[in-house]
Amino acid sequence: MINRKSIWILTLFSLILVLSVYYITMPSEFLETASKNVDNSKQTKEVTSTKENEIISTLKVENEKERNTKITELQTILTKKDATSEEKNNAYEELKTINILKGKEEEISTKIKDELKLENFVKIKDDQVRVVVIKENQDAKIATDIMNLVQSNFDSKMYISIKFQK
């Protein structure tokens, strides 16, 4: 006899499988128009904070430029008619990972700003987290607090580097 938990797992797995097949077989024209809509919405974003330090702003712009270049490459792979389903799957998974990391960076940056009242920049790459903080002098207690705050957002051990900028 099949129990309820097994039925739910089987149902969810089937739904994921059907959606994956649908996504892979989706016409390329639809993906092209969807990527154009995403690009247009990015252009309409407004900058809300005017007090940010120039260093932080520069780091954010460089990171965003690098990320947008990668996203564009991945979207190109998704919209190619001659790309294999495996290539499309890999590109889609990488896009998901980029979005997850972007959200995690913003979450950590907001926590540092709210809890420690420090302007900062956070970049996550693989198992490394780089934090740049705007502060006149280096403080071991603040560095420890930042490291603990950052590590609390991850299940696995991360290598955290903190740089103080004036």
Side-chain angles (χ1 to χ4, degrees):
M1 182 171 170
I2 300 176
N3 60 16
R4 252 189 237 183
K5 198 175 195 180
S6 298
I7 291 174
W8 275 107
I9 291 173
L10 184 60
T11 304
L12 290 174
F13 178 74
S14 300
L15 179 64
I16 290 170
L17 182 65
V18 167
L19 289 174
S20 299
V21 169
Y22 175 75
Y23 180 79
I24 291 170
T25 60
M26 192 180 313
S28 297
E29 295 82 26
F30 177 75
L31 292 173
E32 288 171 1
T33 56
S35 67
K36 287 178 186 173
N37 290 339
V38 169
D39 290 340
N40 290 339
S41 67
K42 287 179 187 173
Q43 292 171 0
T44 59
K45 272 189 183 177
E46 293 183 5
V47 179
T48 56
S49 175
T50 57
K51 295 182 178 180
E52 278 191 78
N53 189 293
E54 289 179 18
I55 295 169
I56 298 295
S57 298
T58 304
L59 289 171
K60 285 182 179 180
V61 167
E62 288 174 2
N63 191 33
E64 194 65 29
K65 193 182 289 186
E66 178 183 316
R67 187 172 279 144
N68 285 341
T69 303
K70 187 66 176 171
I71 288 172
T72 304
E73 290 173 9
L74 293 170
Q75 287 175 340
T76 303
I77 292 171
L78 285 175
T79 57
K80 274 187 184 176
K81 291 182 180 179
D82 59 340
T84 66
S85 60
E86 185 177 337
E87 290 173 333
K88 287 183 178 184
N89 280 339
N90 291 340
Y92 177 73
E93 290 299 321
E94 202 168 334
L95 275 172
K96 275 183 16 181
T97 303
I98 288 171
N99 286 328
I100 290 169
L101 288 179
K102 183 177 180 180
K104 193 69 105 168
E105 289 171 354
E106 290 173 3
E107 178 186 349
I108 293 170
S109 181
T110 303
K111 281 185 179 180
I112 292 171
K113 191 172 188 176
D114 291 345
E115 293 180 21
L116 302 174
K117 310 291 188 239
L118 294 169
E119 288 294 325
N120 64 82
F121 169 76
V122 178
K123 179 166 174 111
I124 302 171
K125 187 172 183 181
D126 300 325
D127 64 343
Q128 298 177 353
V129 181
R130 187 176 123 212
V131 181
V132 178
V133 178
I134 303 300
K135 186 156 174 52
E136 289 290 323
N137 50 356
Q138 297 181 4
D139 187 353
K141 183 187 180 330
I142 290 177
T144 303
D145 291 344
I146 292 171
M147 291 176 103
N148 290 334
L149 186 99
V150 170
Q151 187 60 54
S152 69
N153 288 284
F154 296 97
D155 296 332
S156 60
K157 175 76 174 139
M158 300 299 283
Y159 298 98
I160 305 165
S161 65
I162 300 172
K163 183 176 182 181
F164 288 94
Q165 286 284 339
K166 294 181 183 180

